[in-house]
Amino acid sequence: MALKTLISEERIQTRIAEIGAQIDIDYPDGTLYLICILKGACFFLSDLARAVKRDAFIEFMGISSYGKGKTSSGEVKITKDLDISLEGAHVLIVEDIIDSGVTLSYLTALLKTRRPKSVRIATLLDKPERRIRQVDVAYVGFRIPDEFVVGYGLDFAEKYRNLRDVCVLEQ
Ligand code: IMP
Ligand code: MG
């Protein structure tokens, strides 16, 4: 399998700085939780959290909807839940990529039941062509074509997460 750079480290960092500045503008006072969806969003969360200048708390959640292959199992499972209350807080879900939308439509609905003040989504990557569930996304790093990508947190069977660029994985 061959790797081809799709989005360079430099472009990723420039875009994250813009999104961080936008978050500072958009959010009123009040508690803001950045919820990192493990494991894919780990680098996006760590860079985005530092691009935000207002107070923000970071929390982690584990969700799996994919097996070991490239296609969704369609099944969403919480593998690690939050251990804090979201009541009255602003919640920003930080995700690596939105593909079918199944994971995030499920997660958004779940977190809304916990009585936060707001729930929004920030995703590094978006593949809009693949959507089967509608999701409102407040912050998108890059819209990409329907190709399987790895790197900067994204994996194929747990491999390639530590690449600095987002790359297309070609057979
Ligand atoms: P969705 O529920 O189909 O939107 O799937 C979202 C999840 O699928 C993401 O959090 C990723 O873990 C995984 N995923 C979707 N597309 C890709 C890809 O191109 N590369 C790596 N993981 C992907
Ligand atoms: Mg993921």
Side-chain angles (χ1 to χ4, degrees):
M1 284 193 273
L3 294 169
K4 195 182 74 196
T5 299
L6 181 69
I7 309 167
S8 69
E9 179 180 7
E10 290 74 17
R11 285 180 67 208
I12 294 169
Q13 294 306 327
T14 302
R15 186 68 189 114
I16 290 174
E18 291 169 1
I19 296 172
Q22 193 61 49
I23 289 170
D24 283 330
I25 292 167
D26 291 350
Y27 277 91
D29 287 344
T31 302
L32 170 62
Y33 283 112
L34 304 177
I35 311 280
C36 174
I37 307 306
L38 295 170
K39 301 170 192 168
C42 66
F43 300 117
F44 181 40
L45 179 277
S46 64
D47 287 333
L48 183 64
R50 289 175 295 174
V52 168
K53 301 299 173 220
R54 85 192 292 290
D55 284 340
F57 298 95
I58 63 176
E59 294 290 339
F60 296 85
M61 217 170 159
I63 289 222
S64 80
S65 63
Y66 264 43
K68 289 199 168 68
K70 288 183 179 177
T71 52
S72 178
S73 63
E75 208 181 292
V76 182
K77 219 171 47 191
I78 305 278
T79 55
K80 182 205 179 303
D81 205 343
L82 299 168
D83 36 32
I84 44 134
S85 162
L86 300 179
E87 196 165 340
H90 294 290
V91 171
L92 183 58
I93 299 169
V94 179
E95 177 61 305
D96 52 358
I97 187 165
I98 307 184
D99 188 35
S100 68
V102 170
T103 307
L104 281 185
S105 65
Y106 174 86
L107 183 63
T108 307
L110 174 72
L111 295 187
K112 279 182 179 163
T113 68
R114 300 182 183 183
R115 295 193 289 171
K117 197 175 272 174
S118 68
V119 179
R120 298 172 119 189
I121 295 168
T123 186
L124 179 71
L125 304 173
D126 183 13
K127 286 186 198 170
E129 286 167 50
R130 300 256 307 168
R131 205 71 93 252
I132 58 172
R133 292 287 162 74
Q134 196 258 327
V135 265
D136 287 331
V137 191
Y139 307 99
V140 176
F142 302 91
R143 294 208 164 76
I144 63 167
D146 180 14
E147 286 182 289
F148 197 84
V149 290
V150 295
Y152 194 70
L154 291 113
D155 73 306
F156 175 60
E158 295 300 324
K159 210 176 153 186
Y160 308 115
R161 290 193 197 275
N162 61 332
L163 299 176
R164 304 186 74 98
D165 304 321
V166 170
C167 301
V168 173
L169 184 63
E170 293 170 331
Q171 298 287 354

